[in-house]
């Protein structure tokens, strides 16, 4: 299977992975179905960023979602019922805080029980459940960074909690601003910028929430060079968990589609973030983050510096920019597998980008 952003889908292509859409946990389109124009329109309306398509060159490539739909669904439902009711009450009851902790524990147990610690897939997200999926991914990515840093189980649980509830302060911001489709006015943006502080006034009376979680939530929009908010903290004055949350928050926001822009591909987000070490992000934490993200996830079609096209087969955290690939072109080498990290004849070849435009792919790929 290969990944294609939605704008490049064409009728007749065969879906290789089922597409799920909230609120049902049943798939919206089942793998194996041939896409017609109405279905492509429907996916576009739902703001789904892309799908996996069958290709004879990639029939043996299996792509597993990092967070299984079943788990994502369970956590989403629990977050939804918390956000729909109890979190609006002030002060939060002990049972609400216990529920927050239980959700974080469930997510943490799931992540630590996995063998793969590399985000190696373009997870399909839709716009309507953005708030919940964003919380889940910020929690997940923060935990994965913490695992790279060998954090204890207890600290990882705190990271999961902070990630899941990092934007809880948005509950106290007018929905008109939160849901606004167009660009925000400076006044509206000033209002948005109050959400980290609002989260603290909401949570600080709850003695069962550790300080480390509070300070992480409060500082997730601070930037390493001091240009962030709400306090303009600089460098190591920003609590380390806030610096971790910032990486997870920005990566997930960039790779999700929004009403005003398409989702960035992982390599685009990774390249952008690599350029922000020392300005937006803590350089050392950025290095840890880059060990958990595959810039070219399995199933993406890439261009090589020698002009060839290839499909990504496998990634390793040691070489996130040099995956194992299967050549599509030139024709005489089509279907040859190459490990860019170890194959000597390819040491001078680099991956230069992702190819998503169907017109640039060989005609044979979808036959
Ligand atoms: Fe935020």
């Amino acid at each position: 299977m290969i990944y294609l952003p939605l704008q490049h889908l064409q009728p007749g292509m065969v879906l290789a992975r089922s597409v799920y859409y909230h609120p049902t946990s049943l798939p919206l389109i089942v793998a194996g179905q041939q896409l017609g124009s109405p279905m492509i329109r429907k996916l576009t309306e739902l703001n789904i960023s892309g799908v996996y398509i069958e290709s004879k060159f990639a029939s043996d490539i299996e792509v597993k979602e990092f967070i299984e739909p079943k788990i994502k669904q369970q956590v989403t439902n629990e977050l939804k019922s918390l956000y729909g009711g109890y979190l609006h009450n002030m002060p939060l009851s002990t049972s609400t805080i216990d529920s927050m902790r239980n959700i974080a524990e469930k997510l943490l147990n799931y992540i630590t029980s996995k063998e793969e610690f590399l985000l190696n897939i373009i997870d399909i997200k839709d716009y309507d459940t953005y708030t919940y999926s964003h919380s889940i991914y910020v929690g997940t990515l923060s935990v994965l960074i913490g695992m790279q840093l060998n954090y204890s189980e207890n600290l990882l649980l705190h990271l999961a909690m902070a990630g899941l509830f990092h934007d809880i302060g948005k509950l106290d911001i007018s929905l008109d601003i939160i849901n606004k489709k167009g660009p925000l006015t400076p006044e509206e943006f000033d209002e948005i910028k109050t959400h980290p502080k609002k989260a603290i006034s909401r949570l600080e009376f709850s003695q069962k929430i550790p300080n480390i979680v509070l300070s992480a939530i409060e500082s997730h929009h601070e930037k390493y060079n001091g240009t962030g908010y709400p306090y303009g903290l600089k460098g190591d004055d920003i609590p380390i968990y806030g610096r971790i949350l910032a990486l997870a928050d920005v990566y997930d926001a960039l790779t999700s589609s929004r009403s005003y822009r398409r989702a960035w591909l992982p390599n685009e987000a990774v390249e952008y973030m690599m350029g922000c070490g020392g300005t937006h992000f803590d350089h050392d934490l950025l290095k840890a983050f880059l060990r958990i993200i595959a810039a070219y996830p399995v199933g993406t079609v890439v261009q090589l510096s020698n002009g060839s096209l290839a499909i990504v087969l496998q990634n390793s955290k040691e070489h996130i920019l040099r995956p194992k690939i299967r050549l599509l072109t030139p024709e005489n080498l089509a279907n040859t597998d190459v490990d860019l990290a170890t194959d000597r004849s390819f040491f001078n070849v680099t991956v230069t980008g992702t190819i998503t435009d169907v017109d640039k792919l060989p005609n044979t790929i979808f036959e």
Side-chain angles (χ1 to χ4, degrees), residues 304 306-310 326-335 362:
L304 305 181
N306 63 3
S308 297
L309 297 178
R326 175 168 301 154
L327 295 170
L328 294 170
T329 64
E331 216 174 317
N332 61 329
L333 289 178
N335 252 331

Side-chain angles (χ1 to χ4, degrees), residues 187-203:
E187 294 73 30
E188 288 167 337
F189 192 50
D190 283 344
E191 174 70 18
I192 288 273
K193 283 176 166 174
T194 62
H195 77 272
K197 278 189 186 173
K198 286 190 161 140
I200 300 314
S201 41
R202 180 172 269 279
L203 298 175

Side-chain angles (χ1 to χ4, degrees), residues 220-236:
H220 74 274
H221 284 289
E222 299 287 1
K223 292 184 180 173
Y224 206 66
N225 63 4
T227 60
Y229 65 87
Y231 297 111
L233 295 178
K234 219 174 178 173
D236 294 351

